[in-house]
Amino acid sequence: MRELDEALFLWINGWVGKFTPMDEVMKLIASDYLVPVTLALILFALWFAGTDLGTRERYQIGIVVAVFAVALANSSIEVLNNFYFRDRPFLNHEAELLFYRPTDSSFPSNSAAAAFAITGSVGLFHRRLAIVIVSLAALYAFSRVYVGVHYPLDVLGGAVFGLVAVPIAAVVVGVMRPVLLLSLRWMRLMLVA
Amino acid sequence: MGTSTALVSFAFDYYLMVVIAAAGTLQIASVLADIRGLLLFRNTVVGYSFGISLVLFGYLLFFATAERNVNDTLGGLDGNVQFVLFLLGAITATLLTFVVSSVLNRRMYEVSNVTDGLETLRRTTYLKAVLVRLRSIRS
């Protein structure tokens, strides 16, 4: 499995330098800011976007699920990395690096976990939008392999962490629902929800 | 430039991008949800295009002005700082939109019932709705 993962990494990362515009696009997509900010802006838009009170409330609760899911996925990864550490691919292979040199564990990918936690959460309340977001998350995950900072299994593992966090976050938010509804009611009085 | 100075500059650039892009996103969402009290343009096509332009301008301002692939140990932003700055930027953009749209749409009708949150802003501006709310609390 590990050999296959490394071979796949070398194949994908081997495209670097063959078509410079593609390298620049991948560098931009793999950035720590472009896709995360875009996903956060989508959640921000959903806060306002419902066409009626009921839909908007459903979206707003979904946004809280997304925030919880991201926090849960990333803290689980932090705990896991106290016991398991995988070197970044550029440390053990002749990789073409288009990114800075991260020092934390390669497996699982935090970025992929966050992106897929948001995707999964949006999927709970807006299926059509989730299809768009999943493409963005997948492209983000792929770009991290392309630029040389992750193995394919790292981003796959991150995606699993993110997606598994969603139902757990949904249950937690479900338990907190009365408090959440009260907060939303208060925010509606302030005309911000 | 020291790491802390670089971090502050980077954080400010990020915050500025979020404010601009979130203001644009709010315009797009307001067009889609027909929240007329938050629109900066009466024409929805213009409003939608303006929103998209603001988002793209925010991104351009951030990504085209400096190298952004920087490790958080060398002046980049870690996930927690990004979260806080995003929240602050989104709140700033919302408040700015509330004020500017209230000034631009000052001729909108004043409603008597403001109990249903953002729904109210389909019919009136934020500042007018707040005034009605304050009057109803006093009486």
Side-chain angles (χ1 to χ4, degrees):
Chain A
M1 188 72 161
R2 190 171 266 242
E3 285 79 21
L4 181 69
D5 190 32
E6 291 178 357
L8 199 56
F9 164 76
L10 289 171
W11 181 65
I12 294 170
N13 183 251
W15 296 345
V16 173
K18 294 204 168 120
F19 186 49
T20 314
M22 171 83 159
D23 292 352
E24 292 305 314
V25 170
M26 284 297 164
K27 249 171 86 176
L28 186 65
I29 295 169
S31 142
D32 290 338
Y33 309 100
L34 183 69
V35 173
V37 167
T38 305
L39 292 173
L41 285 174
I42 290 172
L43 293 181
F44 177 67
L46 284 169
W47 184 271
F48 296 89
T51 46
D52 58 75
L53 195 65
T55 310
R56 189 173 298 128
E57 188 173 280
R58 203 157 46 86
Y59 288 1
Q60 288 165 349
I61 290 173
I63 292 163
V64 178
V65 172
V67 173
F68 264 91
V70 171
L72 183 65
N74 284 337
S75 26
S76 315
I77 289 173
E78 211 170 313
V79 172
L80 172 77
N81 287 154
N82 287 324
F83 307 101
Y84 178 79
F85 190 95
R86 186 183 196 190
D87 281 342
R88 295 281 176 167
F90 54 80
L91 292 173
N92 301 323
H93 301 279
E94 292 271 321
E96 291 287 341
L97 192 62
L98 293 177
F99 207 72
Y100 63 79
R101 301 171 79 87
T103 49
D104 56 341
S105 175
S106 192
F107 181 90
S109 159
N110 267 305
S111 328
F116 279 91
I118 293 175
T119 305
S121 307
V122 171
L124 292 178
F125 62 92
H126 203 310
R127 291 275 157 85
R128 270 189 302 157
L129 186 60
I131 293 168
V132 177
I133 299 182
V134 81
S135 323
L136 194 62
L139 187 63
Y140 185 41
F142 175 79
S143 70
R144 305 286 283 202
V145 178
Y146 185 97
V147 300
V149 287
H150 279 297
Y151 291 104
L153 260 187
D154 302 342
V155 293
L156 201 66
V160 170
F161 262 82
L163 291 173
V164 167
V166 175
I168 301 170
V171 169
V172 174
V173 170
V175 171
M176 291 165 47
R177 197 178 167 87
V179 180
L180 203 58
L181 290 178
L182 201 68
S183 309
L184 284 176
R185 209 172 137 192
W186 182 81
M187 282 191 233
R188 276 202 286 275
L189 286 175
M190 306 282 288
L191 304 160
V192 291
Chain B
M1 191 157 52
T3 308
S4 57
T5 318
L7 178 66
V8 171
S9 163
F10 202 106
F12 180 75
D13 290 351
Y14 178 83
Y15 169 76
L16 195 64
M17 166 183 65
V18 172
V19 172
I20 296 169
T25 305
L26 188 47
Q27 284 305 297
I28 298 168
S30 302
V31 170
L32 294 176
D34 195 28
I35 308 176
R36 272 170 257 169
L38 292 183
L39 290 177
L40 303 184
F41 296 94
R42 280 190 189 176
N43 186 310
T44 52
V45 176
V46 176
Y48 198 76
S49 311
F50 178 70
I52 291 173
S53 308
L54 271 185
V55 174
L56 294 177
F57 178 65
Y59 283 166
L60 202 68
L61 204 62
F62 183 74
F63 288 104
T65 50
E67 174 58 48
R68 300 303 181 185
N69 274 338
V70 182
N71 199 335
D72 56 31
T73 55
L74 296 169
L77 306 173
D78 70 29
N80 296 330
V81 176
Q82 274 191 58
F83 176 75
V84 172
L85 286 175
F86 185 90
L87 210 60
L88 289 175
I91 291 170
T92 308
T94 307
L95 292 177
L96 276 174
T97 303
F98 283 164
V99 173
V100 176
S101 61
S102 294
V103 173
L104 292 177
N105 299 320
R106 60 189 175 278
R107 289 188 186 161
M108 268 182 106
Y109 185 65
E110 193 170 295
V111 293
S112 52
N113 177 16
V114 289
T115 54
D116 44 4
L118 285 170
E119 297 299 306
T120 310
L121 302 184
R122 289 182 200 274
R123 293 168 286 135
T124 191
T125 67
Y126 185 79
L127 291 184
K128 276 185 180 173
V130 167
L131 284 176
V132 173
R133 165 71 29 85
L134 289 176
R135 263 186 240 139
S136 70
I137 290 171
R138 267 193 229 151
S139 58

